Amino acid sequence: MSGDLKEKRLFLLDMDGTIYLDEELFDGTLDFLEYVRSVGGRYMFLTNNSSKSVDKYIEKLARMGIAADQDDFLTSTNATIVHLERKKYRKIYAFGTATFRQQLSEAGLPITDRLEDDIDCLCMGFDTELTFQKLEDACILLNRGVDYIATNPDWVCPTWYGFVPDCGSVSQMLFNATKRRPTFIGKPESAMVELALARSGYSKEQAVILGDRLYTDIACGINAGISALFVLSGEGTLEDLKTSEVQPTYIYENIRAVWADLVK
């Protein structure tokens, strides 16, 4: 371990594939979180998964024995809302779950889930309630030339039985049909890290992001100018490192190995 990892105080944690898989908490997660608290640090959970609200994540972590509140989370939906608020769209077609639409609506954004003449933006999230009607609506809107925003570029989302197509895979389908690509907001873009730094008050030098994907988690850290720790407990592998231009600051087998090194 590079010695400066012990000097970090803000730990930005991806969730799926990093601290748990589906409903199974990884061994070492609770020890790691206790370590962060014991050194006077802070952890925050950063996820590209826009299909669930923060309340759902709080409930999920509580089932796993982790107490958390709203301020402990930043999602790609949070960052997307900030982006949309700056743009002042007339009407936004929200392509995603009912929870995703609710979050955008509660933020005061003018959203719809039906084709309407005054729509000037298509905003897509990871949609576990995907229908062909949504794909058809999206193609119609993209062919009209509306702005195109997506929460995250992840190709897949991990589950207990393997992987399912995530937002990046659906956006590739839409590209095949319309030749339009979205502006992605979540990781690997730096917006979520910047929000975390502003919320916590820590400096870039004090922060490190932990995740299992080179092209989102690790790239996000690099783009934001903070250290990045790659765990091999999720999607990414050592083979990926051999061909990737994105290289982490640290590499560990899993969260237990990180904890074990920190408490040596």
Side-chain angles (χ1 to χ4, degrees), residues 20 22 27-28 38 48 55 60-61 63 68 80 85 96 123 133 142 145 171 177 181 206 210-211 222 225 249 252 261:
Y20 62 66
D22 205 5
D27 177 48
S38 74
N48 266 356
D55 287 341
K60 179 169 185 170
L61 291 187
R63 293 196 299 271
T80 299
E85 287 173 336
C123 182
Q133 184 63 60
L142 293 177
S171 72
R181 292 199 187 277
Q206 294 173 297
L210 288 72
I222 293 169
T249 317
Y252 285 88
D261 218 358

Side-chain angles (χ1 to χ4, degrees), residues 74-182:
L74 278 170
T75 71
S76 59
T77 304
N78 296 139
T80 299
I81 287 170
V82 171
H83 177 87
L84 294 173
E85 287 173 336
R86 294 170 180 160
K87 291 291 187 176
K88 310 295 184 185
Y89 289 113
R90 293 191 308 274
K91 190 167 289 181
I92 301 162
Y93 184 102
F95 183 132
T97 61
T99 297
F100 177 66
R101 295 193 300 273
Q102 181 180 354
Q103 287 180 270
L104 298 189
S105 180
E106 289 177 350
L109 294 166
I111 69 119
T112 184
D113 60 354
R114 298 180 300 174
L115 280 178
E116 298 178 31
D117 291 339
D118 55 346
I119 294 171
D120 51 356
C121 176
L122 169 67
C123 182
M124 183 172 69
F126 172 39
D127 193 356
T128 57
E129 300 159 7
L130 182 63
T131 65
F132 191 83
Q133 184 63 60
K134 293 179 185 178
L135 293 172
E136 186 175 65
D137 289 351
C139 289
I140 292 170
L141 290 169
L142 293 177
N143 286 330
R144 284 184 192 172
V146 304
D147 280 4
Y148 182 20
I149 308 298
T151 56
N152 62 292
D154 302 57
W155 294 114
V156 296
C157 181
T159 72
W160 64 269
Y161 54 81
F163 297 98
V164 295
D166 205 324
C167 189
S169 293
V170 177
S171 72
Q172 182 61 43
M173 263 201 307
L174 292 175
F175 173 76
N176 293 342
T178 68
K179 304 308 176 188
R180 295 281 309 276
R181 292 199 187 277

Side-chain angles (χ1 to χ4, degrees), residues 63-79:
R63 293 196 299 271
M64 298 178 177
I66 300 172
D69 59 33
Q70 291 273 343
D71 288 340
D72 294 323
F73 293 85
L74 278 170
T75 71
S76 59
T77 304
N78 296 139

Side-chain angles (χ1 to χ4, degrees), residues 9 11 19-20 23 39 68 81 100 113 124 132 137 160-161 176 185 199 209 230 237 250:
R9 290 298 178 266
F11 295 83
I19 65 169
Y20 62 66
E23 293 291 331
V39 297
I81 287 170
F100 177 66
D113 60 354
M124 183 172 69
F132 191 83
D137 289 351
W160 64 269
Y161 54 81
N176 293 342
I185 303 300
R199 180 183 290 183
I209 187 169
F230 183 46
T237 67
Y250 316 100

